[in-house]
């Protein structure tokens, strides 16, 4: 694991009973273990003042002690850390094994320590901003349709989807996006690719939502938007594809799965349609669920096209 990054469990991040402040303390404890722990032990001395230093790189911030103490209590109540021997001011020895030990059965999202420091230096909304950023990064996904260089580096989730999975308003999503972008933590590229938004022959056209990446990955983000747009225009059928034509190519695709062969030009048309269908399904799935867990089984396999040199 990169010493400049920490891992946060997605199940804890998604748990609405765990406060934003508790998520921040969780990050602070991960930072401590990554940078300073020796021998891999999860048992250590902690104090509120030290948590303050880990999060803000300074101490004596007005009103912060009570906030961090409550956040620490939240983690104790959820059984994520266990006090072994502590004093009244909450300083003492804690066992953080349940929180910090890596569990292969869990899913994680990573955050760079520099990203954490930058977010915690924001004047307002720092705790909720941190949780939103972790949620956004958690929506970075991958499918077999994506080039390896894009996998787990980008998100195409819509504003509404991000609002739903982060449990905040769309207005807050836009505000947090602006703060994160202005602080060069994330990069946002506008997609010029369109998709159908209904199943009738009189389909409406909508622009696929923003494409998000970390700021350091902005070149990859821009390349993805440019490449996807060009591929879409070159390979995909018209957005207003007739329903009968759609049925035709699906039927021909299903026949190919059963072993039927077509001439190369026809196969190219079928392939183009299936690739377009998968692209649309991925965008719709990401808008609905915010990540790509379970998406692969919803997509149509392109294996049948391999022998034609199209996959």
């Amino acid at each position: 694991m990169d010493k400049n990054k920490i891992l946060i469990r997605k199940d804890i991040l998604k748990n609405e009973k765990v406060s934003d402040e508790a998520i921040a303390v969780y990050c602070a404890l991960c930072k401590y273990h990554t940078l300073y722990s020796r021998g891999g032990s999860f048992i250590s001395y902690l104090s509120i003042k030290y948590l303050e230093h880990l999060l803000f790189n300074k101490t004596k911030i007005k009103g912060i002690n009570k906030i961090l103490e409550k956040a620490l209590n939240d983690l104790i109540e959820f059984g994520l850390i266990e006090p072994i021997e502590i004093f009244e001011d909450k300083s003492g020895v804690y066992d953080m094994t349940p929180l910090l030990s890596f569990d292969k059965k869990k899913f994680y999202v990573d955050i760079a320590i520099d990203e954490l420091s930058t977010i915690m230096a924001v004047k307002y909304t720092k705790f909720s901003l941190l949780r939103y950023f972790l949620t956004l990064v958690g929506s970075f996904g991958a499918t077999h349709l994506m080039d390896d260089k894009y996998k787990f580096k980008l998100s195409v989730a819509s504003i509404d989807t991000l609002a739903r999975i982060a449990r905040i308003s769309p207005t807050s999503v836009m505000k947090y996006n602006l703060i994160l972008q202005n602080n060069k933590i994330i990069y946002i590229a506008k997609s010029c690719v369109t998709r159908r938004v209904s199943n009738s022959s009189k389909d409406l056209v909508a622009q696929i939502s923003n494409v998000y990446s970390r700021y350091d990955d902005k070149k990859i983000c821009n390349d993805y938007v440019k490449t996807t747009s060009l591929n879409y225009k070159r390979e995909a059928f018209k957005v207003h594809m007739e329903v009968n034509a759609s049925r035709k190519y699906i039927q021909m695709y299903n026949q190919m799965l059963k072993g039927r062969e077509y001439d190369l030009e026809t196969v190219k048309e079928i392939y183009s349609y299936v690739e377009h269908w998968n692209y649309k399904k991925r965008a719709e799935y990401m808008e609905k669920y915010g990540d790509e867990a379970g998406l692969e089984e919803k997509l149509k396999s392109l294996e049948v096209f391999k022998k034609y040199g199209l996959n």
Side-chain angles (χ1 to χ4, degrees):
M1 178 64 189
D2 188 341
K3 275 289 185 180
N4 292 315
K5 289 188 176 182
I6 57 179
L7 296 178
I8 303 298
R9 272 170 47 186
K10 280 190 174 183
D11 61 315
I12 298 175
L13 178 64
K14 292 179 179 180
N15 189 336
E16 59 185 325
K17 293 182 180 179
V18 179
S19 67
D20 297 342
E21 293 77 13
I23 293 295
V25 169
Y26 177 13
C27 290
L29 297 177
C30 287
K31 175 182 175 180
Y32 165 75
H33 181 73
T34 299
L35 294 181
Y36 308 117
S37 179
R38 297 179 180 178
S41 174
F42 297 112
I43 298 175
S44 180
Y45 174 85
L46 292 175
S47 69
I48 299 300
K49 181 177 288 188
Y50 190 48
L51 287 175
E52 182 183 9
H53 173 73
L54 286 169
L55 279 176
F56 305 105
N57 297 315
K58 60 182 179 180
T59 58
K60 298 182 180 180
I61 299 174
K62 185 177 180 180
I64 199 65
N65 284 7
K66 288 184 178 180
I67 293 174
L68 296 182
E69 184 174 330
K70 184 180 183 306
L72 190 63
N73 283 334
D74 287 346
L75 295 178
I76 294 171
E77 289 178 10
F78 280 105
L80 297 172
I81 60 176
E82 180 184 352
I84 296 176
E85 186 176 351
I86 62 172
F87 299 100
E88 189 175 345
D89 64 357
K90 294 297 178 181
S91 63
V93 179
Y94 291 83
D95 183 357
M96 298 171 283
T97 302
L99 185 67
L100 301 184
S101 58
F102 185 78
D103 187 341
K104 292 181 180 179
K105 296 180 180 179
K106 303 292 185 182
F107 294 96
Y108 291 81
V109 58
D110 67 279
I111 177 172
I113 290 174
D114 287 346
E115 292 171 337
L116 174 63
S117 298
T118 302
I119 291 172
M120 297 315 293
V122 172
K123 189 171 183 180
Y124 302 110
T125 68
K126 51 178 66 71
F127 295 111
S128 54
L129 181 66
L130 172 61
R131 190 172 203 154
Y132 171 73
F133 173 70
L134 290 168
T135 301
L136 174 61
V137 173
S139 72
F140 291 1
T143 72
H144 71 276
L145 296 175
M146 298 179 75
D147 191 287
D148 286 346
K149 67 181 178 179
Y150 302 132
K151 291 181 177 180
F152 303 108
K153 293 182 178 292
L154 306 170
S155 174
V156 295
S158 68
I159 296 292
D160 287 340
T161 296
L162 290 171
R164 177 174 56 79
I165 62 178
R167 296 186 299 276
I168 56 179
S169 69
T171 301
S172 293
V173 169
M174 290 185 282
K175 179 179 74 173
Y176 292 164
N177 283 346
L178 184 61
I179 294 172
L180 292 169
Q181 192 172 30
N182 287 344
N183 283 276
K184 297 185 177 181
I185 300 172
I186 67 169
Y187 181 78
I188 304 174
K190 296 289 186 181
S191 173
C192 58
V193 176
T194 56
R195 66 171 178 82
R196 299 193 320 175
V197 294
S198 70
N199 293 321
S200 71
S201 59
K202 297 180 179 179
D203 291 332
L204 298 175
V205 177
Q207 184 180 36
I208 290 178
S209 52
N210 295 334
V211 180
Y212 300 89
S213 72
R214 283 184 156 92
Y215 190 81
D216 288 345
D217 291 328
K218 62 181 181 179
K219 289 184 179 179
I220 292 176
C221 190
N222 283 329
D223 182 65
Y224 175 80
V225 170
K226 180 181 178 181
T227 303
T228 302
S229 299
L230 290 174
N231 286 344
Y232 190 90
K233 292 173 182 177
R234 182 174 64 248
E235 300 290 346
F237 288 113
K238 293 180 180 180
V239 172
H240 294 283
M241 186 180 297
E242 294 293 336
V243 173
N244 288 340
S246 300
R247 289 202 194 99
K248 169 188 170 184
Y249 287 109
I250 286 295
Q251 289 170 358
M252 294 173 76
Y253 169 76
N254 289 335
Q255 288 299 314
M256 288 184 68
L257 294 179
K258 295 176 182 179
R260 182 168 178 177
E261 296 186 355
Y262 295 96
D263 64 85
L264 183 58
E265 288 306 310
T266 300
V267 171
K268 285 181 178 180
E269 291 180 5
I270 299 169
Y271 175 78
S272 184
Y273 172 77
V274 174
E275 193 177 48
H276 165 66
W277 190 95
N278 281 342
Y279 185 88
K280 181 187 71 171
K281 179 63 68 176
R282 178 178 181 273
E284 291 173 347
Y285 193 93
M286 284 296 297
E287 283 194 323
K288 184 175 182 180
Y289 298 105
D291 61 45
E292 297 183 342
L295 173 59
E296 290 292 334
E297 61 190 41
K298 304 290 185 183
L299 301 176
K300 296 189 182 299
S301 172
L302 300 177
E303 288 294 313
V304 71
F305 298 103
K306 274 190 173 180
K307 66 179 182 179
Y308 296 94
L310 296 175
N311 184 26

